[in-house]
Amino acid sequence: MNQKALSRLLAAVTLSTALVYPQAASAAAPPPALHDDNPSGHFGDWYTGAVPPNASKDKPVILFVQGLHSTYKTWYTTDGFYDAAYNAGYRTAFVQLKDADGTGGNMWTNGAKLAEVIKKVADYYGVSKINIIAHSKGGIDTQTALVHYGAHQYVNVVHQIATPNKGSELADLAYSNWAGWLADILGKKDDAVYSLQTSYMANFRSQTDNRTEIRSTKTYMAAGTGDDGMFSPTWFGHAAIPGEDDGAVSVESAFGLPYGIKSFTKDISHGQIVKASNTWNLVEPKLQKASVRSANKVSEDKSKSSTLEESSVILRGGEVEDTVSETFFLESGINQFNLDTMTSSEDTAVTLISPSGKKYEADRSEKSESEDESEIFQDAVHHFIEVEEPEAGEWTLEVEGSDDAFFMVGSVDGGEEAKVKASKKVFKKGDKAKISVDLGKNEIDQSLLEKANLTRSLNGEKASVLDEVKFAIKEDELTGNFTVPTKPGVYNLSFDVTGINEDGEPFTRSINYNFAVTDRDGEIE
């Protein structure tokens, strides 16, 4: 049975499931019809939904665009937006992007193909303009299609749902010295994840936000602030992402389109935010809004201003062959220490040892097949440990396994924070850069002052240290000055800082600074 036939069979099974478990007062929509424009794969295929009996030409046609490593089934599922739109009388369409064939495509690859499909959908329904609902990275792909590939003339309204307009820190970490080993084993380092790094997206914003095409379409933005419960993968995302977030995308990033209109924020996870029972009633009213616009005042290029972040996390990671031990310091007064150690194998064992020798064995999650969790580390096995009021001193993480890798995220609740300030996110080759860390009233332990590892983000390769940046203590701040590489690309500067609190106790915090280097034309690669 070929893939296309299997897809049709699964669609029928999904329909049967929907009929067994119907939404209250709603009918399950008939399967969408495939427009097989790519006989050798899925990329570029599109679907048209069944025309509902209560369809009205007064209502816009909706094209649904899914996110990272997803397919059109994000929308065609139990409690999906397709059923909701069908019952509300909307004509619909769906698209398959490069992600449907395995590895994800960046916004340029997906955006060019999406622009073609947008015109095909408008022509099919005989309308001059359609509306788009886009989840996660699908919002970036949509904007690229509109602004850079001419599809703005065919789109009236775009409603983004949890779109990382400023990128995602999870993408940064996937290429860091700590998590790169695991991300490589999981196969999650591809063009799509690469393009979601925060500095890559800062450069994309500078290439996009001042173009006149942005005035043709009204764009709404929505954000989530929840997770899928204690020790869920999206719960881990809260630790790794600064500020409020949905386990994959921060609120700041979701609302990061300078000319976008804030639609709603809801206490819900990145996957659950596209369940119809949760948010259709919040999205649907915006689809009726006209796109008449006055000129937008676009904020200044954020890549040229300094960035300020806070860190209350401890990061560790690398290759696992036999037993690996990593140490770090915790101070007293911490309310709770939450540890998520991700591996690719369920056979790898994780143990946390306190300064007094007490051992904490991890609770392990099973590998998930769901698309509702954090997308970048979706296939990882999570080993969770929670410690209430941990004792002060040097802690040890032991990871035992073979042919594996691990990535540890330790979240400190109620402890000290490191404030990190960097000159900017995007540089020209050969520019001078500066990064500083402020520990407030705490001292910086010079005896544990380490160099920062500089790595370049690459797909299909293990993270390797290209250079080391030296730090100095100046006016109670840890400061590093360096010249950025001459080769265009995306880079991570990863390091620990050890502080000494007022009680003389050392504590560890980890910093990952993601930045991009462009050529003279402003291109990264």
Side-chain angles (χ1 to χ4, degrees):
M1 181 181 296
N2 63 38
Q3 290 296 315
K4 296 287 176 71
L6 179 59
S7 177
R8 294 187 181 97
L9 176 61
L10 290 174
V13 172
T14 305
L15 174 61
S16 299
T17 304
L19 291 172
V20 175
Y21 301 101
Q23 288 183 284
S26 296
L34 170 65
H35 298 256
D36 193 359
D37 286 4
N38 181 8
S40 62
H42 298 292
F43 182 34
D45 285 348
W46 55 291
Y47 295 76
T48 46
V51 177
N54 60 334
S56 168
K57 290 187 177 181
D58 293 332
K59 293 184 175 181
V61 173
I62 304 173
L63 172 63
F64 293 98
V65 183
Q66 61 280 352
L68 178 69
H69 300 154
S70 299
T71 72
Y72 80 103
K73 291 180 182 177
T74 295
W75 314 102
Y76 178 41
T77 185
T78 303
D79 197 16
F81 267 47
Y82 175 39
D83 281 352
Y86 176 83
N87 283 282
Y90 287 92
R91 295 161 293 167
T92 55
F94 310 84
V95 62
Q96 293 281 55
L97 300 176
K98 188 175 185 296
D99 307 58
D101 282 330
T103 58
N106 62 26
M107 67 278 287
W108 309 109
T109 300
N110 283 349
K113 184 61 66 176
L114 178 57
E116 297 174 9
V117 172
I118 287 171
K119 185 177 186 305
K120 290 176 182 178
V121 171
D123 289 345
Y124 177 86
Y125 281 110
V127 296
S128 60
K129 290 193 174 187
I130 65 172
N131 286 0
I132 292 176
I133 298 176
H135 179 227
S136 194
K137 181 179 171 290
I140 305 299
D141 296 335
T142 297
Q143 191 179 42
T144 307
L146 270 56
V147 175
H148 295 280
Y149 293 105
H152 62 93
Q153 59 189 307
Y154 305 111
V155 178
N156 188 38
V157 173
V158 174
H159 198 301
Q160 298 180 346
I161 304 176
T163 289
N165 287 299
K166 291 186 175 182
S168 173
E169 288 77 12
L170 295 184
D172 295 351
L173 289 173
Y175 290 92
S176 71
N177 199 37
W178 292 299
W181 287 86
L182 178 62
D184 197 63
I185 289 177
L186 295 174
K188 295 303 180 183
K189 289 163 65 174
D190 57 25
D191 290 348
V193 176
Y194 184 94
S195 70
L196 288 179
Q197 293 175 94
T198 55
S199 62
Y200 192 104
M201 282 301 302
N203 195 55
F204 175 77
R205 296 260 64 87
S206 70
Q207 295 171 318
T208 304
D209 292 342
N210 287 297
R211 292 178 61 118
T212 58
E213 292 90 345
I214 65 171
R215 297 183 175 90
S216 298
T217 305
K218 180 176 286 188
T219 301
Y220 291 93
M221 306 173 293
T225 59
D227 55 52
D228 296 310
M230 185 71 76
F231 300 141
S232 66
T234 48
W235 181 78
F236 133 76
H238 288 322
I241 301 171
E244 289 188 302
D245 63 88
D246 62 5
V249 175
S250 70
V251 171
E252 180 184 1
S253 186
F255 289 151
L257 201 61
Y259 41 88
I261 303 166
K262 292 183 180 180
S263 177
F264 66 87
T265 303
K266 189 167 184 176
D267 184 15
I268 202 167
S269 72
H270 192 69
Q272 291 297 313
I273 202 169
V274 285
K275 298 300 183 185
S277 60
N278 294 328
T279 55
W280 169 255
N281 67 312
L282 300 174
V283 173
E284 195 269 342
K286 309 299 191 304
L287 303 178
Q288 303 295 335
K289 304 293 184 181
S291 66
V292 177
R293 306 176 56 83
S294 59
N296 292 293
K297 181 180 179 182
V298 179
S299 62
E300 64 180 272
D301 182 1
K302 300 298 183 181
S303 68
K304 296 181 180 178
S305 59
S306 62
T307 62
L308 180 64
E309 296 179 359
E310 295 181 346
S311 172
S312 58
V313 298
I314 303 168
L315 306 174
R316 294 290 184 269
E319 191 176 15
V320 177
E321 196 62 60
D322 199 11
T323 300
V324 177
S325 295
E326 294 279 359
T327 61
F328 52 87
F329 293 99
L330 294 179
E331 70 275 26
S332 59
I334 295 173
N335 299 326
Q336 190 176 80
F337 181 60
N338 298 309
L339 194 74
D340 182 2
T341 304
M342 287 167 276
T343 65
S344 68
S345 172
E346 297 176 353
D347 296 327
T348 299
V350 175
T351 304
L352 182 65
I353 305 172
S354 74
S356 62
K358 182 177 180 180
K359 293 187 176 182
Y360 297 83
E361 303 296 333
D363 292 326
R364 192 190 72 202
S365 73
E366 301 295 329
K367 285 189 176 183
S368 173
E369 301 298 327
S370 172
E371 290 187 348
D372 295 342
E373 62 169 85
S374 173
E375 299 159 322
I376 294 175
F377 294 97
Q378 182 174 331
D379 297 326
V381 177
H382 294 257
H383 307 257
F384 299 107
I385 297 174
E386 181 183 42
V387 182
E388 299 285 347
E389 299 181 350
E391 61 183 286
E394 187 175 41
W395 289 71
T396 302
L397 179 79
E398 288 188 350
V399 184
E400 184 176 358
S402 60
D403 297 323
D404 203 356
F406 77 101
F407 175 41
M408 182 205 91
V409 179
S411 176
V412 179
D413 179 16
E416 304 291 347
E417 287 188 338
K419 294 183 178 179
V420 186
K421 185 176 183 180
S423 50
K424 54 184 179 180
K425 296 287 285 185
V426 182
F427 300 86
K428 295 290 187 182
K429 59 183 182 179
D431 279 355
K432 302 295 183 181
K434 178 181 178 180
I435 183 171
S436 60
V437 182
D438 182 5
L439 296 180
K441 62 182 180 296
N442 303 294
E443 296 180 5
I444 297 172
D445 190 339
Q446 297 190 55
S447 66
L448 296 175
L449 195 59
E450 297 183 3
K451 298 176 182 178
N453 291 324
L454 178 66
T455 58
R456 185 176 179 218
S457 300
L458 294 170
N459 292 330
E461 295 184 27
K462 299 288 193 303
S464 59
V465 178
L466 299 178
D467 198 1
E468 293 181 334
V469 175
K470 296 180 180 179
F471 284 86
I473 299 175
K474 184 179 180 180
E475 298 179 354
D476 298 325
E477 282 189 345
L478 184 66
T479 302
N481 293 285
F482 62 101
T483 301
V484 302
T486 58
K487 188 174 182 62
V490 180
Y491 296 84
N492 283 287
L493 197 64
S494 308
F495 60 100
D496 281 343
V497 57
T498 302
I500 306 293
N501 67 11
E502 293 179 325
D503 296 325
E505 300 167 339
F507 61 90
T508 304
R509 298 296 181 267
S510 298
I511 311 294
N512 188 71
Y513 169 49
N514 180 271
F515 67 94
V517 179
T518 68
D519 61 20
R520 65 182 61 186
D521 297 322
E523 299 292 336
I524 290 177
E525 303 222 52

